Amino acid sequence: QVQLVESGGGLVQAGGSLRLSCAASGRTSRNYYAMGWFRQAPGKEREFVAAIRWSGSTFYANSVKGRFTISKDNARNTVILQMNSLKPEDTAVYYCAMSLLYYSDFEPLGSPNYWGQGTQVTVSS
């Protein structure tokens, strides 16, 4: 089993920044193909935000491209989402996800095998 623990959410004003971290632990936590983030706003479906493959390739939703940066710390088995120029529409619960299989560039996380518990991000106007 793999555990994903997110941290770093909170309340920030529009234009501000937040940094989310996702620490992976467990027996197969280093054998993933991609890790990344989804988010879900109230009354909306969960949507893809960003992903990073073991190789280092990165992918972003159009809505966050140029504002968010995903990276990984292999030594700490952690994935980081740096969020800059935040907008009120970024308000959501952000979920870390891990996929053990390859998926296409169109949907790099596919159907994730593991999920974190979620962390709230609130951007005030």
Side-chain angles (χ1 to χ4, degrees), residues 6-124:
E6 301 111 331
S7 60
L11 172 65
V12 66
Q13 287 188 334
S17 298
L18 281 175
R19 186 173 182 263
L20 304 183
S21 294
C22 174
S25 62
R27 208 176 80 174
T28 59
S29 64
R30 292 186 181 274
N31 296 330
Y32 65 88
Y33 203 91
M35 287 183 68
W37 299 86
F38 289 80
R39 68 186 180 186
Q40 188 167 19
K44 295 188 176 181
E45 292 188 356
R46 189 174 296 188
E47 64 175 1
F48 168 77
V49 176
I52 185 165
R53 287 186 176 145
W54 180 252
S55 65
S57 299
T58 58
F59 305 86
Y60 298 94
N62 287 335
S63 59
V64 307
K65 207 170 287 185
R67 300 188 297 122
F68 291 10
T69 303
I70 189 168
S71 60
K72 59 186 178 76
D73 182 337
N74 290 335
R76 298 183 180 182
N77 215 19
T78 297
V79 171
I80 298 159
L81 186 68
Q82 178 67 41
M83 306 186 294
N84 298 328
S85 303
L86 282 161
K87 304 175 181 179
E89 50 263 44
D90 294 318
T91 295
V93 178
Y94 283 69
Y95 297 91
C96 179
M98 175 187 284
S99 296
L100 304 182
L101 303 177
Y102 168 81
Y103 292 95
S104 72
D105 292 0
F106 179 72
E107 198 177 28
L109 287 172
S111 296
N113 299 87
Y114 301 103
W115 293 90
Q117 80 285 358
T119 185
Q120 177 70 46
V121 171
T122 303
V123 184
S124 63

